[in-house]
Amino acid sequence: MEGELKPMDAEQLREYGHKMVDFIADYYKNIENFPVLSQVQPGYLRKLLPETAPTHSETLQDVLEDVQTKILPGVTHWQSPDYFAYFPSNSSVAGFLGEMLSAGINMVGFSWITSPAATELEMIVLDWLAKALKLPDEFLSTGQGGGVIQGTASEAVLVVILAARDKVLRRVGKDAISKLVVYCSDQTHSSLQKACQIGGIYPENFRVLKADPSRDYALSPDTLSEAVSHDMATGLIPFFFCATIGTTSSTAVDPLLELGKIAKVKSGESNSIWFHVDAAYAGSACICPEYRGYMNGVEEADSFNMNAHKWFLTNFDCSALWVKDRSALIQSLSTNPEYLKNKASQENLVVDYKDWQVPLGRRFRSLKLWMVLRLYGLEKLQAYIRNHIELAKLFEELVAQDKRFEIVTPRKFSLVCFRLLPPPSNEDYANKLNHDLLDSVNSTGKLFISHTLLSDRYILRFAVGAPLTEERHIVGAWKVLQDEAATLLSKC
Amino acid sequence: MEGELKPMDAEQLREYGHKMVDFIADYYKNIENFPVLSQVQPGYLRKLLPETAPTHSETLQDVLEDVQTKILPGVTHWQSPDYFAYFPSNSSVAGFLGEMLSAGINMVGFSWITSPAATELEMIVLDWLAKALKLPDEFLSTGQGGGVIQGTASEAVLVVILAARDKVLRRVGKDAISKLVVYCSDQTHSSLQKACQIGGIYPENFRVLKADPSRDYALSPDTLSEAVSHDMATGLIPFFFCATIGTTSSTAVDPLLELGKIAKVKSGESNSIWFHVDAAYAGSACICPEYRGYMNGVEEADSFNMNAHKWFLTNFDCSALWVKDRSALIQSLSTNPEYLKNKASQENLVVDYKDWQVPLGRRFRSLKLWMVLRLYGLEKLQAYIRNHIELAKLFEELVAQDKRFEIVTPRKFSLVCFRLLPPPSNEDYANKLNHDLLDSVNSTGKLFISHTLLSDRYILRFAVGAPLTEERHIVGAWKVLQDEAATLLSKC
């Protein structure tokens, strides 16, 4: 950019903004031509860029050329229709427009007064989404609870564990931190372990209960019940339990109703076990009546989380968290320095989301969720989810028809867990075989899948959920998997 | 949007993206016409929006009309040239383009493999920025340290306090958490207190030392020295100290060199006091040689933070944190579940930024910082900073010429702290008078300023730093302040 610096000139924004829109639209037009998983080697970019920032300004043309030739080769294309790894992370036109608008307004919404619309729209759209999920009314902002957009499910579980920790420590004294016990299953996401590390929960009090393979890796209520009883008998203080709807490894669904009742009964009148439900991935499916049953028992929960940025067309990041008792969050996370005081906050007329989260500043993220809900509407969003589940079903059928493979756990949503069977009487070789299959498939660049371990078996995960994925991509991916498997098996 | 859902159709993205660019460019064209501080009442938006999400899709036209008529009236316009509150939160064409591109690619960069370019570009641009700030080489990613983009300064100070906490607890045992002491001044940002709450530091061990009014509210080294000695004598364990370059209330600068030496000497060979420097706002100024002196002593620090999203034209959020010992961060924040394992990570060939931060997922935020540095270049960025400081100087001179006002602390950067003097022999009335002046000025909608308390005096803060602010806005703002002051004084 030549001449005087005009860093926010409206006409320059218009001119360059149009160029960037075209660049991004062209990216999506050609997205199938990229290797899905980036094939660069560690350290590739440092060789391509200068060692210091430029002294003088450069042109947008220069930068866009570098994006094309230096950055995009190092990108793993999560929006590619051939992306089936981890869980999806949806982009959409509506989500993208919402991000643009948020970046355009670029306000920092820590308190209501810093942009009332940001706080109020967030409360409203999270009430909308809560209603679409048929969450109990106690989670709505019109009562004692409410929703908040966190960056990620990690931050969601962290803030509720802090709220639960401080609630119990206020009762029993802060020296009792060494006695606080957290429960989850060995299928619970690692973000809970990290939240415990951050919150100072003693590692030996982080109970990872063995999920039940005969229940498709859901947690058995008896297991929880026994663990809680044992800990209480030895003088420890159970205070937090996390159940999952749609675990990361295999989309297992924990039985919320029974688990929640145990949490409530065991902790007695003081009701000190905070029950959190992590539906980061599968929560999106629960807007369809036929999947809402997986949420039965959520009325027992203290908090519920789903990531709109995963499978709900809302660009990253947008993790929706609801709590029944917002005061618990606020008591843990509020600060009230003089320089942020203002009439509306002091008079308790408003929500200040800074007190519901770890950071102070926050973006206007509700805009993109609002735009997704309005530009698509619930009916089409349900159709979107159902279509991916149909595509996953198709993939499952293709795998089932091939005797060289097996489906490892029954598919519940849009993830298929499967593996290549080793040659007869060579089960020890199975894990290496599937590891090699993963590597060879991902190295083709034609698709990207990921893996997990279930009962020590190395499993391939095929997660359908990218917005551009169609039947032809499923069929094509399966063909690549079959071809690479044949090559590997021929070498056995 | 009618017909079948095509959530990421390239041509729809192009068409709608162009419309959104025009909408945002028009917003900036007309930004001076809005009241800077939103004048809506609490709960205004719920009256304007439906109670549930729509079943059927709506049009972009509908949504943009609602943005114009329902959302924008509830926005406080941080990008307005008449915004002088808190600290600035810069938007720019380059930063906006970077956000667009990041939202367009929409990858989730928790591990190197999930998009190598995202991790590597972040390492490179933070090295660039470290060099522009003349940070010691130990903070570069080429050694044992390195930089990372956090969302906010709150997250930056949280992760370093966790790293410091766990480092000392590994040595002395985790039951010693009750003995760990944190030091800061009463001018340190409230995010440190929040980080301590989260990390389980005992509130009685959070030492808020009185800053010295005779040093313009910087912390006196003697004060720190005495506090540390006293705590050590009573068996407590000093482990963390935070100094600030440019405090929130008045941009005071703590004497890093002396404070850092105390931290080092007192803690002896074990070197267990982690020294963090918060330059969230004023760090940007330190790219100019004439302000770099404020950073002298940073070589004593373990970590350094500046917010590129404040005064460095990089859209929110982009908080740059550097550490000398990245392994301390990683030991506190890493998890390694099977489903995220991959060859590059397992072989320690790469940085996985998930282990440097609280969340797992992360956006491609380095793009916008890279684009700011390239599209503007360091020379123009320095000119940008200097221009704001000149404008603040102008405002300071205007205030100084008016006998009804006083400058409360000497201006260092682009913040002017001042107040309206009460009628003679009525000092008790001064705080209410300035509170009323703040209210009446902000109610005009013509500018937005904020306040603080210094030595129990209510002070007005005038922070220059919005990208569109010119001399005429300073002069106009001063005129409004004078007029409102005259009205108030006439009522005394």
Side-chain angles (χ1 to χ4, degrees), chain A residues 258-487:
Chain A
E258 294 126 294
L259 294 168
K261 288 215 162 121
I262 289 165
K264 195 167 270 179
V265 169
K266 293 276 172 185
S267 52
E269 284 306 303
S270 62
N271 190 25
S272 61
I273 301 187
W274 184 295
F275 178 29
H276 177 66
V277 176
D278 169 4
Y281 154 74
S284 297
C286 298
I287 63 160
C288 303
E290 66 271 32
Y291 297 105
R292 175 57 178 74
Y294 290 121
M295 278 173 62
N296 286 347
V298 70
E299 54 279 9
E300 306 290 335
D302 295 287
S303 48
F304 180 87
N305 172 231
M306 78 82 107
N307 285 350
H309 62 238
K310 276 198 164 66
W311 193 16
F312 205 69
L313 291 172
T314 310
N315 288 42
F316 188 86
D317 51 353
C318 186
S319 178
L321 170 69
W322 291 268
V323 294
K324 280 185 184 167
D325 174 16
R326 62 178 176 251
S327 74
L329 272 188
I330 294 168
Q331 284 186 75
S332 270
L333 296 168
S334 70
T335 54
N336 191 22
E338 180 64 33
Y339 46 79
L340 299 184
K341 286 183 183 166
N342 64 86
K343 198 176 157 210
S345 298
Q346 296 296 100
E347 293 179 355
N348 266 316
L349 297 172
V350 295
V351 160
D352 288 330
Y353 273 129
K354 70 181 177 62
D355 299 333
W356 299 46
Q357 63 172 21
V358 171
L360 175 60
R362 59 203 320 272
R363 300 187 298 132
F364 201 159
R365 290 180 293 210
S366 54
L367 279 175
K368 58 187 171 185
L369 182 54
W370 182 57
M371 290 181 72
V372 164
L373 287 165
R374 292 193 61 183
L375 291 179
Y376 301 139
L378 288 173
E379 205 171 78
K380 281 184 184 165
L381 287 164
Q382 290 171 337
Y384 173 74
I385 295 286
R386 287 174 180 139
N387 178 50
H388 282 149
I389 294 177
E390 283 304 313
L391 293 176
K393 233 179 243 179
L394 166 64
F395 183 80
E396 186 186 32
E397 284 161 14
L398 292 170
V399 175
Q401 284 161 21
D402 189 328
K403 294 274 181 288
R404 297 170 299 176
F405 289 84
E406 70 169 352
I407 299 290
V408 177
T409 57
R411 182 201 46 73
K412 282 205 166 59
F413 304 101
S414 71
L415 172 72
V416 180
C417 289
F418 68 108
R419 63 173 195 155
L420 181 57
L421 292 167
S425 71
N426 202 358
E427 172 65 24
D428 291 352
Y429 186 62
N431 283 4
K432 181 172 181 343
L433 184 67
N434 280 282
H435 182 278
D436 290 349
L437 178 57
L438 182 91
D439 263 2
S440 65
V441 164
N442 287 342
S443 299
T444 65
K446 292 178 188 163
L447 70 157
F448 180 27
I449 59 173
S450 61
H451 81 283
T452 192
L453 280 183
L454 285 174
S455 302
D456 297 326
R457 287 175 306 173
Y458 193 100
I459 309 297
L460 304 179
R461 295 173 73 267
F462 189 90
V464 180
L468 288 166
T469 302
E470 301 172 14
E471 188 172 317
R472 67 188 167 93
H473 302 104
I474 305 294
V475 174
W478 176 236
K479 178 84 171 55
V480 174
L481 272 156
Q482 283 184 310
D483 290 352
E484 296 298 323
T487 307

Side-chain angles (χ1 to χ4, degrees), chain A residues 65-82:
Chain A
E65 273 173 30
D66 277 0
V67 172
Q68 195 70 50
T69 60
K70 297 172 185 170
I71 301 296
L72 287 183
V75 168
T76 293
H77 302 276
W78 288 62
Q79 304 314 316
S80 165
D82 298 306

Side-chain angles (χ1 to χ4, degrees), chain A residues 72-137:
Chain A
L72 287 183
V75 168
T76 293
H77 302 276
W78 288 62
Q79 304 314 316
S80 165
D82 298 306
Y83 181 97
F84 303 105
Y86 310 115
F87 279 135
S89 179
N90 284 182
S91 182
S92 70
V93 173
F96 175 72
L97 296 175
E99 279 285 3
M100 279 178 72
L101 186 56
S102 169
I105 294 174
N106 200 50
M107 64 87 234
V108 185
F110 45 81
S111 302
W112 178 87
I113 196 177
T114 66
S115 267
T119 297
E120 297 198 9
L121 187 64
E122 187 160 329
M123 294 166 72
I124 292 166
V125 293
L126 288 193
D127 281 351
W128 283 10
L129 191 52
K131 288 173 189 170
L133 289 164
K134 302 200 193 313
L135 278 178
D137 285 353

Side-chain angles (χ1 to χ4, degrees), chain A residues 1 3 5 7-8 10-11 14 16 18 21-22 24-26 28-29 40 42-46 50-58 60 66 71 74-76 78-79 86 89-93 96-97 100 103-104 106-108 112-117 120-121 127-128 131 141 152 154-155 165 174-175 189-190 194 197-198 202 204 313 315-316 332-333 337-339 341 354 357-363 373-380 451 453 468, chain B residues 1-3 5 7-8 10-11 14 16 18 20-22 24-26 28-29 40 42-46 50-58 60 66 71 74 76 78-79 86 89-93 96-97 100 103-104 106-108 112-117 120 127-128 131 141 152 154-155 165 174-175 189-190 194 197-198 202 204 313 315-316 332-333 337-339 341 354 357-361 363 373-380 451 453 468:
Chain A
M1 297 186 181
L5 178 62
M8 200 20 116
E11 296 315 315
R14 195 186 307 273
Y16 289 13
H18 285 311
V21 165
D22 284 330
I24 294 169
D26 290 343
Y28 277 96
K29 215 165 115 184
V40 299
Y44 90 102
L45 191 57
R46 200 172 285 269
E51 286 189 9
T52 53
T55 304
H56 302 290
S57 51
E58 303 182 47
L60 180 60
D66 277 0
I71 301 296
V75 168
T76 293
W78 288 62
Q79 304 314 316
Y86 310 115
S89 179
N90 284 182
S91 182
S92 70
V93 173
F96 175 72
L97 296 175
M100 279 178 72
N106 200 50
M107 64 87 234
V108 185
W112 178 87
I113 196 177
T114 66
S115 267
E120 297 198 9
L121 187 64
D127 281 351
W128 283 10
K131 288 173 189 170
S141 68
T152 61
S154 304
E155 289 153 282
R165 178 196 69 179
K174 60 186 183 300
D175 289 331
H189 193 268
S190 61
K194 186 159 175 171
Q197 287 171 207
I198 292 169
Y202 280 33
E204 62 266 32
L313 291 172
N315 288 42
F316 188 86
S332 270
L333 296 168
E338 180 64 33
Y339 46 79
K341 286 183 183 166
K354 70 181 177 62
Q357 63 172 21
V358 171
L360 175 60
R362 59 203 320 272
R363 300 187 298 132
L373 287 165
R374 292 193 61 183
L375 291 179
Y376 301 139
L378 288 173
E379 205 171 78
K380 281 184 184 165
H451 81 283
L453 280 183
L468 288 166
Chain B
M1 295 184 180
E2 291 177 13
L5 179 62
M8 201 20 118
E11 296 314 316
R14 195 185 309 272
Y16 289 12
H18 285 312
M20 187 59 90
V21 165
D22 285 329
I24 294 168
D26 291 344
Y28 277 96
K29 216 166 113 183
V40 299
Y44 90 101
L45 191 57
R46 200 173 284 269
E51 287 190 9
T52 54
T55 304
H56 302 292
S57 51
E58 302 180 47
L60 180 59
D66 276 0
I71 301 297
T76 293
W78 288 63
Q79 304 313 317
Y86 309 116
S89 179
N90 284 181
S91 182
S92 71
V93 173
F96 175 73
L97 296 174
M100 278 178 73
N106 200 49
M107 64 87 233
V108 186
W112 178 86
I113 195 177
T114 65
S115 266
E120 298 198 10
D127 281 351
W128 282 10
K131 289 172 187 170
S141 69
T152 60
S154 305
E155 289 153 281
R165 178 197 69 179
K174 60 186 183 301
D175 290 330
H189 192 269
S190 60
K194 185 160 176 171
Q197 287 171 206
I198 292 170
Y202 279 33
E204 63 266 32
L313 290 173
N315 288 41
F316 187 86
S332 271
L333 295 168
E338 181 63 34
Y339 45 80
K341 287 182 182 166
K354 72 181 176 61
Q357 63 173 20
V358 171
L360 175 60
R363 301 186 299 132
L373 286 164
R374 292 192 61 183
L375 291 179
Y376 301 138
L378 289 174
E379 207 171 76
K380 281 184 185 164
H451 80 283
L453 279 183
L468 289 166

Side-chain angles (χ1 to χ4, degrees), chain B residues 256-469:
Chain B
L256 302 194
L257 192 59
E258 294 126 294
L259 293 168
K261 287 212 164 126
I262 289 165
K264 195 167 269 178
V265 169
K266 293 276 171 185
S267 52
E269 284 305 303
S270 60
N271 190 25
S272 60
I273 301 187
W274 185 294
F275 178 30
H276 177 66
V277 176
D278 170 3
Y281 153 75
S284 297
C286 299
I287 63 162
C288 303
E290 67 271 32
Y291 297 105
R292 175 57 178 75
Y294 290 121
M295 280 174 60
N296 286 348
V298 69
E299 54 278 9
E300 305 291 336
D302 295 287
S303 47
F304 180 87
N305 172 231
M306 77 82 106
N307 285 351
H309 61 237
K310 277 199 163 65
W311 194 17
F312 206 69
L313 290 173
T314 311
N315 288 41
F316 187 86
D317 51 354
C318 186
S319 178
L321 170 70
W322 292 269
V323 294
K324 280 185 183 166
D325 174 15
R326 62 177 175 251
S327 74
L329 271 189
I330 293 167
Q331 284 185 77
S332 271
L333 295 168
S334 69
T335 54
N336 191 23
E338 181 63 34
Y339 45 80
L340 299 183
K341 287 182 182 166
N342 64 86
K343 199 174 155 210
S345 299
Q346 296 297 99
E347 293 178 355
N348 265 318
L349 298 171
V350 294
V351 161
D352 288 330
Y353 273 128
K354 72 181 176 61
D355 300 334
W356 298 47
Q357 63 173 20
V358 171
L360 175 60
R362 59 204 319 273
R363 301 186 299 132
F364 201 159
R365 290 181 292 210
S366 54
L367 279 174
K368 58 187 170 185
L369 183 53
W370 182 57
M371 290 180 73
V372 164
L373 286 164
R374 292 192 61 183
L375 291 179
Y376 301 138
L378 289 174
E379 207 171 76
K380 281 184 185 164
L381 287 165
Q382 290 171 337
Y384 173 74
I385 295 286
R386 286 172 181 140
N387 178 50
H388 282 150
I389 293 177
E390 284 304 314
L391 293 177
K393 234 180 243 179
L394 166 64
F395 183 81
E396 187 186 30
E397 284 161 15
L398 292 170
V399 175
Q401 284 161 21
D402 189 328
K403 294 273 179 291
R404 297 171 299 177
F405 289 85
E406 72 168 351
I407 299 289
V408 178
T409 57
R411 183 201 45 72
K412 282 204 166 61
F413 304 101
S414 70
L415 172 72
V416 180
C417 290
F418 69 108
R419 61 171 195 156
L420 181 57
L421 292 167
S425 74
N426 202 358
E427 171 66 23
D428 290 351
Y429 187 62
N431 283 4
K432 180 170 181 345
L433 184 67
N434 280 282
H435 182 278
D436 290 349
L437 179 56
L438 182 91
D439 263 1
S440 64
V441 164
N442 287 343
S443 299
T444 66
K446 293 178 187 162
L447 71 158
F448 180 27
I449 59 174
S450 61
H451 80 283
T452 192
L453 279 183
L454 285 175
S455 302
D456 297 325
R457 286 176 306 173
Y458 193 101
I459 309 296
L460 304 178
R461 294 172 74 267
F462 188 90
V464 181
L468 289 166
T469 302

